[in-house]
């Protein structure tokens, strides 16, 4: 039973100058407290407040929670302020724990609960998604990034397991839906992904050494980290750009970081002072004049981690209704279901079915007569996963001395005397003889095959002349890795492919060497309590060592202290291995190396391969690369929500061409500008409005809507000025977030035109009349609105809709067509209020966007496999095209035909390159025009000129591979 004791400690108030409005919270610290006769761990809770340029820490109102026995070393902590819970990674017990905790309560209910055991004992860090209620953590020894549902305790999933060597720091941004983690392996880096682990990318890789801890400042959209080898506190944008070193402090050893208001709090292990907490201004790095905020007096406690107990930003929780059986991640518009390890998602996208079950990652060991398997987490929690939960097959042999596994087919292959057998781990555990020898099979473990580079490594020779050699599997290119001068009595060897390092037993010692023969060293930590190590197996950043008939020792390759421990319940072990499909990549096939030289898709055909292209591309004459030739007339651009693509569809023969741009990620609105021959689209991953030439070249970012804590939805162009109007939906509940209508000039100037609504979607403009139209499906009821193009004179036109997803405009008839995705009705409306009437119904279709070309309406619907063509006055004249199974849910559309060129190009703003008599923005109105300025500027007294005079806007970052600056004028 947990015993909790409240200890009141008294400190003095300390103040440091910063700049911020009122912010209040509690500084939470984890520390290992040292007493004369007992070690206890404290959680320190200290009130702090930022107001009028000063941060005040109220030490006189702090208290400490002491745990007598169990919680002995919190290495990482995080807080769910809304649910009043504290989450803890305890290094000593290798567990994740939850503490019901409210420092604001006079009688807190301090109930501690285990969440997960069997983590490694190392630099594990945790981070909470307080929206979806999921806990994330890194495990540097298991080489994984993992998420566990806190709604469905016990359901966890490994999100990252490949191309990662030693993940440590981790941070979650549930508002922008980002997960960040650092890798402090041989190639240090910081990576970013979505909260489901997808869209993974390296954002920082140069000039970085040991980024041990991360934190996100959601308010400023910045990523902060501490690098314990560089003695630094650093910051960048969420995409890794605009990197700044905030602080460098020589001889420090930073362990953790937390951003609060205008300050950074870090923990630091000082060899003279012990554990301490430092405070810096998050922008300037100004500290507290050399003094620390919290210091360990006379080495009496070791502060290890820091977090803030304070209100957290909120947004819609799409997981609130528990739509997922295992794990739910709330993304910006919907829940995404994940399945626990050993399970796969069913076709319904919600429930899960067992695949490999609980032994999907298993430690396998043998005695002379028995084979056993247990959850691999048992190497860190023997009592939970091995002592009472192992699976053993007794009397399957009489002299088992060697085992290996086939993780793909889930088989254990073992030598029993002169025979070699195979046995399945799942279902009926039948034993099958593979082959027989004339003598007892021995020594096979001294040969190690590395499939992908087709290399074999073995121990050669005899006492006094032993060597470790390698060669191609065909016997060629024999090389000596370790010579006889460096060997005494080698017994077994194993290879860690990720680090390209060979580990081997030599006498009573463990040694390692690079596969090229360099950097021969003894393994730090040695082998604990081993009489004579005989068998060796590498797994992730572990070495598993079977000694002479006694136990299995587990050696961690990521830690120096307490790096080795013994699994005491495993006795008389003759060999060991691990079942894990990620450790046995399939052997080189025709597509394994460099994707078979195929640009898109490589299809293996026996020993050969065939290159194919993604939908919308054609295979070039070289049979390897792919291209897409855009149409020049009679086409529609459409965004594919399912496949995250933008397609060009012929209005003549249904041919489909994909926009040949790797920057298309999660497209929303699409827009074709016939004057510049460029395609524009919004994106909910980058939150950019971006553009490219129709062949995909000349990519540029017009505006980063994410800078306004919003993502763009639909787009519309004022043909008389070239200005683009778009609907913006906030991605944050913070005050600075933007919801409404924005406008962007061709050279990247931006203006928030209308700031109102909940979920604005469709937008259209009639520049000849000076009117702007848009819908909002987030209000109750949903609405269709009209305003002047400068955002003034807002009028509600219609409100009897639920999901108004699209608007088509018929300028010649001053009419609008509006789709309702809930009722699946198309309304025909005039420009005035209360003129909407039902024009057409398409039951069950889930109507989306709609546009007009000539006399025909074209609309998309998520439940249709095609695009519908409908006459604008004769609803019986209906057809379909683009009936292609490869297309997914089609969303926004933009049409072009030279036969029906847009009319009414001219307005009172058409001259002066669309600026009329204005310096920057010219807005045509019903009877005149008005001028406008970019955000942050006001018109001068002449009501036409902006202070900067419409000069070129500073460019924003462009993804790698683009040579065109965002905001630049389109190329020819």
């Amino acid at each position: 039973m947990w015993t909790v004791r409240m200890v009141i400690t008294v400190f003095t108030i300390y103040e440091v100058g910063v700049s911020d409005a009122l912010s209040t919270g509690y500084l939470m610290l984890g520390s290992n407290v040292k007493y004369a006769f007992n070690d206890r761990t404290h959680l320190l809770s200290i009130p702090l407040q930022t107001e009028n340029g000063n941060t005040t820490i109220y030490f006189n109102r702090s208290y400490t929670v002491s745990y007598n026995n169990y919680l002995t070393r919190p290495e990482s902590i995080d807080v769910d302020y809304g649910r009043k819970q504290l989450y803890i990674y305890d290094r000593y017990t290798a567990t994740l724990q939850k503490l019901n905790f409210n420092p604001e309560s006079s009688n807190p209910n301090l109930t501690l609960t285990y969440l997960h055991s069997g983590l490694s004992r190392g630099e594990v860090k945790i981070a909470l998604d307080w929206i979806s209620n999921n806990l994330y953590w890194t495990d540097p020894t298991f080489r994984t990034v993992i998420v566990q549902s806190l709604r469905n305790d016990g359901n966890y999933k490994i999100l990252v397991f490949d191309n990662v060597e030693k993940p440590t720091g981790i941070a979650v941004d549930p508002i922008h839906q980002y997960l960040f983690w650092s890798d402090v392996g041989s190639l240090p880096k910081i990576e970013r992904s979505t909260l489901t682990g997808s869209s993974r990318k390296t954002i920082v890789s140069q000039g970085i050494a040991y980024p041990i801890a991360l934190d996100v400042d959601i308010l400023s959209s910045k990523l902060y980290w501490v690098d314990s080898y560089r003695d630094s506190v650093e910051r960048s944008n969420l995409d890794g750009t605009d990197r700044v070193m905030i602080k460098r402090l020589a001889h420090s050893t930073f362990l953790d970081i937390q951003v609060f208001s205008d300050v950074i709090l870090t923990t630091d292990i000082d060899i003279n002072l012990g554990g301490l907490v430092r405070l810096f201004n998050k922008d300037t790095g100004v500290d507290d004049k050399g003094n620390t905020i919290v210091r360990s007096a006379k080495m009496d406690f070791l502060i290890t981690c820091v977090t803030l107990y304070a209100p957290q930003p909120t947004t819609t929780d799409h997981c609130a209704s528990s739509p997922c059986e295992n794990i739910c991640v709330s993304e910006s518009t919907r829940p995404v279901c994940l399945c626990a390890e050993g399970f796969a998602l069913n076709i319904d996208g919600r429930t899960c079915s067992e695949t490999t079950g609980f032994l999907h990652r298993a430690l396998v060991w043998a005695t002379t007569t028995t084979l056993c398997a247990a959850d691999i987490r048992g190497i860190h929690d023997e009592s939970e996963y091995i002592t009472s939960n192992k699976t053993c097959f007794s009397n399957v042999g009489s002299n088992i001395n060697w085992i290996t596994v086939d993780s793909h087919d889930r088989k254990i292959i073992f030598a029993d005397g002169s025979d070699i057998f195979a046995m399945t781990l799942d279902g009926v555990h039948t034993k099958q003889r593979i082959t027989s020898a004339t003598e007892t099979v021995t020594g096979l473990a001294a040969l190690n095959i590395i499939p992908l580079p087709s290399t074999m490594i073995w121990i050669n020779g005899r006492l006094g002349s032993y060597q470790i050699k390698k060669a191609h599997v065909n016997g060629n290119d024999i090389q000596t890795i370790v010579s006889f001068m460096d060997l005494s009595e080698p017994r077994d060897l194993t290879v860690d492919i990720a680090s390209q390092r060979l580990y081997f037993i030599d006498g009573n010692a463990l040694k390692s060497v690079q596969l090229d023969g360099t950097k021969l060293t003894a393994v730090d930590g040695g082998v604990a309590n081993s009489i004579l190590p005989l068998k060796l197996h590498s797994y992730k950043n572990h070495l598993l060592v079977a000694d002479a008939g006694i136990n299995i020792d587990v050696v961690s390759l990521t830690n120096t202290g307490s790096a080795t421990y013994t699994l005491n319940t495993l006795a008389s072990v003759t060999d060991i291995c691990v079942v894990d499909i990620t450790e046995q990549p399939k052997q080189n096939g025709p597509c394994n190396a460099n994707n078979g030289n195929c640009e898109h898709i490589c299809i293996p055909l026996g020993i050969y391969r065939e290159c194919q292209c993604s939908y919308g591309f054609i295979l070039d004459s070289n049979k390897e690369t792919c291209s897409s030739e855009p149409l020049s007339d009679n086409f529609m651009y459409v965004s594919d929500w399912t496949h995250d693509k933008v397609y060009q569809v012929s209005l003549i023969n249904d041919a489909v061409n994909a926009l040949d741009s790797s920057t298309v990620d999660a497209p929303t609105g699409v827009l074709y500008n016939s004057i510049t021959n460029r395609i524009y689209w919004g994106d909910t991953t980058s939150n950019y409005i971006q553009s490219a030439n129709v062949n995909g070249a000349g990519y540029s970012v017009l505006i980063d809507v994410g800078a306004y804590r919003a993502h763009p939805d639909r787009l519309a162009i004022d043909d008389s000025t070239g200005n683009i109007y778009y609907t913006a939906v906030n991605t944050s509940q913070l005050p600075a977030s933007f919801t409404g209508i924005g406008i962007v000039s061709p050279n990247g100037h931006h203006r928030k035109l209308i700031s109102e609504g909940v979920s604005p979607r469709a937008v259209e403009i009639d520049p000849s009349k000076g009117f702007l139209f848009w819908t909002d499906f987030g209000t109750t009821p949903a609405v269709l609105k009209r305003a002047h193009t400068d955002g003034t004179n807002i009028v509600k036109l219609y409100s009897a809709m639920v999901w108004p997803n699209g608007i088509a405009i018929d300028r010649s008839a001053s009419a609008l067509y509006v789709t309702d995705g809930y009722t699946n009705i198309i309304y025909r409306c005039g420009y005035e209020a209360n003129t909407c009437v039902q024009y057409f119904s398409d039951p069950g279709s889930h109507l989306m966007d709609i546009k007009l070309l000539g006399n025909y309406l074209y609309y998309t619907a998520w439940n249709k496999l095609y695009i519908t063509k409908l006459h604008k006055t004769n609803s019986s004249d209906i057809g379909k095209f683009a009936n292609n199974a490869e297309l997914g849910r089609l969303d926004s559309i933009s049409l072009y035909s030279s036969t029906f060129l847009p009319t009414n190009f001219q307005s009172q703003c058409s001259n002066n390159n669309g600026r009329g008599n204005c310096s920057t923005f010219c807005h045509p109105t019903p009877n005149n025009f008005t001028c406008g300025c970019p955000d942050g500027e006001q018109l001068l007294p002449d009501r036409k000129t902006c202070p900067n005079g419409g000069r070129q806007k500073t460019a924003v970052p462009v993804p790698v591979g683009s040579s065109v600056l965002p905001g630049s004028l389109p190329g020819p």
Side-chain angles (χ1 to χ4, degrees), residues 10 61 66-67 76 80 131 175 382 469 542 565 573 639 747 795 797 866 882 903 932 950 970:
V10 179
R61 294 187 1 231
S66 300
Y67 298 88
S76 182
D80 187 334
I131 302 298
I175 305 302
E382 186 176 5
K469 292 181 174 290
H542 303 87
Y565 44 93
V573 175
S639 60
N747 61 354
V795 176
L797 296 183
Y866 51 84
T903 58

Side-chain angles (χ1 to χ4, degrees), residues 809-861:
I809 188 166
D810 184 352
R811 297 184 180 97
S812 63
S814 296
L816 306 171
Y817 294 85
V818 183
T819 57
D820 187 331
Y822 183 83
T823 62
N824 294 308
I825 293 172
I826 298 175
Y827 293 91
R828 189 178 192 275
C829 309
Y831 284 7
E832 302 303 321
N834 301 315
T835 59
C836 294
V837 295
Q838 180 175 331
Y839 173 66
F840 183 76
S841 178
D842 193 349
S845 60
H846 196 138
L847 296 173
M848 292 302 295
D849 201 10
I850 186 168
K851 287 293 180 282
L852 178 70
L853 183 66
N855 291 321
Y856 284 91
L857 295 162
Y858 297 79
Y859 67 83
T860 57

Side-chain angles (χ1 to χ4, degrees), residues 915-961:
R915 295 194 296 270
N917 293 325
C918 307
S919 69
T920 310
F921 286 112
C922 183
H923 305 288
T925 58
N927 299 308
N928 204 339
F929 70 92
T930 63
C931 300
C933 292
D935 296 321
E937 295 185 36
Q938 298 293 326
L939 285 170
L940 297 179
D942 64 4
R943 308 304 298 166
K944 296 179 180 180
T945 309
C946 299
N948 286 325
R951 288 191 292 270
Q952 178 72 38
K953 180 182 178 291
T954 302
V956 295
V958 176
V960 174

Side-chain angles (χ1 to χ4, degrees), residues 451-490:
L452 291 183
S454 301
T455 301
M456 56 183 178
I457 302 176
W458 71 98
I459 298 171
N460 187 71
R462 61 186 65 188
L463 187 65
S465 63
Y466 282 116
Q467 294 177 314
I468 298 178
K469 292 181 174 290
K470 73 173 182 178
H472 191 275
V473 290
N474 62 13
N476 296 329
D477 193 23
I478 300 176
Q479 301 176 36
T480 298
I481 299 178
V482 183
S483 73
F484 72 93
M485 294 183 292
D486 295 312
L487 294 171
S488 59
E489 192 176 358

Side-chain angles (χ1 to χ4, degrees), residues 175 177 315-316 318 330-334 684 711 731:
I175 305 302
Q177 291 91 44
T315 188
T316 301
H318 296 286
S330 181
E331 293 197 339
S332 58
T333 60
R334 62 190 178 104
T684 58
H711 70 76
T731 57

